[in-house]
Amino acid sequence: MKRILLIGIGRWGVNHLRVLKSMPIELFVADHREQRLTSVDVSQSHRSTDARSFFSRIDAAVVVTPAQAHFETCRELLRMGKDVFVEKPIALASSDAKTLTELAEKSGAILQVGHIFRFDPASLWLRDAISAGRFGRLKMLQARFSGFKRPRYDTGVTFSDGIHFIDLFNFLLGVPPRRVHAVLSDFLGRGLDDESLIVLEYDQGDNSPILATIEAGYHAPGKFREVTIVGTDSSAVCDYNVAQYKIKTFENRHVADRDTIKADEGAVRQLEFPPEEPLRAELAAFIDAIDKRNPSSVDGWAGFHAVRVVEAVLKSAQTGAWIEIGE
């Protein structure tokens, strides 16, 4: 039975705790706030305010701390040869993400990044449908990850929320974007972006790039977790807020008719997916990877590419220019 340390049981860490407690592991829990630990149903010997006191006793760690602590915590664990699951972002600089990834490869440790949308069955369907050409030639992707809520204080909204769909688009298309343009706002005056409007340009091997837009923010009423895929043959809308019937497909096409273009609206289909919890799926994948010593499907390089795009977003917002993404 693997000995796994959960570091951080804050707003999102408590969900990791709930899932990990149901898995066949020996669980250790650490959080710097003593009051958070008092209600944790693990033995006194397996919980502490000092995560490092457990490092020599564990096989792997799940890091759900504020983003600023990700790099140092993961680096220390990886240097000890421990397997690591780290919540997104892997780090706040792509250079640090690269360091962690190369360190994991050198030490033979498993490094998995918590890009949770990859583990939703609807995302897997979209990726396979794109690969199979179901949509025809892709025109654009659109995403909205927004809604009125309390802002995070460790990062701006691009790093906390926008990065979800940056990584998802990289996953769906199989490559990172070639350039980025963005506008960010700080309506709350915290020195961190709380509204983010991003345009990504992806190469699809011809002279017609795919444009992808992402909107993230803390202000609009409601809760939006939605992705739209638009192609020449059909389109799809995926609502990640829905438990089972997440995707609608539309057989819509623009058709040339002499000197005009007709908009032909075709069949609409609702797709059903099993009600699977993506957090449980990604943690199960991590445990499977460390058991079988297989590389994670969401390794450090996936985290690196997502952070590199966020860096380009921040630079574009500062300069007002398109920012090229290097090799």
Side-chain angles (χ1 to χ4, degrees), residues 84-151:
V84 174
F85 175 102
V86 58
E87 264 301 341
K88 57 80 194 161
I90 181 175
L92 292 178
S94 61
S95 58
D96 288 342
K98 184 172 184 284
T99 295
L100 294 179
T101 304
E102 292 176 342
L103 181 57
E105 291 179 343
K106 182 179 179 180
S107 66
I110 302 296
L111 174 61
Q112 182 173 323
V113 185
H115 288 300
I116 193 170
F117 280 88
R118 291 187 181 218
F119 289 88
D120 193 297
S123 299
L124 299 173
W125 187 92
L126 289 172
R127 182 197 60 179
D128 292 344
I130 290 171
S131 179
R134 179 176 181 132
F135 298 108
R137 183 178 57 78
L138 293 182
K139 296 179 180 179
M140 60 184 180
L141 283 67
Q142 300 171 328
R144 188 177 184 189
F145 194 115
S146 63
F148 187 75
K149 66 177 181 177
R150 176 167 64 90

Side-chain angles (χ1 to χ4, degrees), residues 116-297:
I116 193 170
F117 280 88
R118 291 187 181 218
F119 289 88
D120 193 297
S123 299
L124 299 173
W125 187 92
L126 289 172
R127 182 197 60 179
D128 292 344
I130 290 171
S131 179
R134 179 176 181 132
F135 298 108
R137 183 178 57 78
L138 293 182
K139 296 179 180 179
M140 60 184 180
L141 283 67
Q142 300 171 328
R144 188 177 184 189
F145 194 115
S146 63
F148 187 75
K149 66 177 181 177
R150 176 167 64 90
R152 284 180 56 160
Y153 278 82
D154 55 344
T155 61
V157 75
T158 305
F159 253 127
S160 64
D161 291 350
I163 195 172
H164 277 300
F165 286 154
I166 289 171
D167 175 74
L168 180 62
F169 285 172
N170 290 351
F171 173 66
L172 295 180
L173 299 176
V175 293
R178 66 187 187 187
R179 62 176 187 158
V180 175
H181 194 279
V183 177
L184 307 182
S185 295
D186 176 18
F187 290 114
L188 298 175
R190 305 176 306 139
L192 296 169
D193 54 297
D194 48 48
E195 284 293 324
S196 179
L197 301 172
I198 305 167
V199 180
L200 310 168
E201 187 177 276
Y202 287 86
D203 189 0
Q204 61 179 338
D206 55 24
N207 293 322
S208 55
I210 305 167
L211 286 180
T213 62
I214 299 172
E215 174 188 342
Y218 295 136
H219 300 275
K223 179 181 179 181
F224 302 93
R225 307 287 185 270
E226 190 172 271
V227 167
T228 300
I229 312 291
V230 179
T232 54
D233 294 342
S234 65
S235 301
V237 176
C238 179
D239 185 351
Y240 287 99
N241 283 331
V242 177
Q244 287 178 264
Y245 295 93
K246 294 177 185 286
I247 293 179
K248 278 186 179 180
T249 63
F250 302 82
E251 302 298 327
N252 294 344
R253 297 177 179 86
H254 284 107
V255 180
D257 183 14
R258 297 181 182 176
D259 39 346
T260 64
I261 296 178
K262 292 167 54 180
D264 284 349
E265 295 187 33
V268 179
R269 294 181 174 87
Q270 183 85 60
L271 305 184
E272 182 181 6
F273 296 89
E276 181 177 5
E277 184 180 10
L279 178 60
R280 183 175 299 276
E282 70 173 350
L283 288 174
F286 175 62
I287 293 171
D288 185 66
I290 65 179
D291 279 340
K292 297 179 180 176
R293 307 315 301 166
N294 290 329
S296 168
S297 62

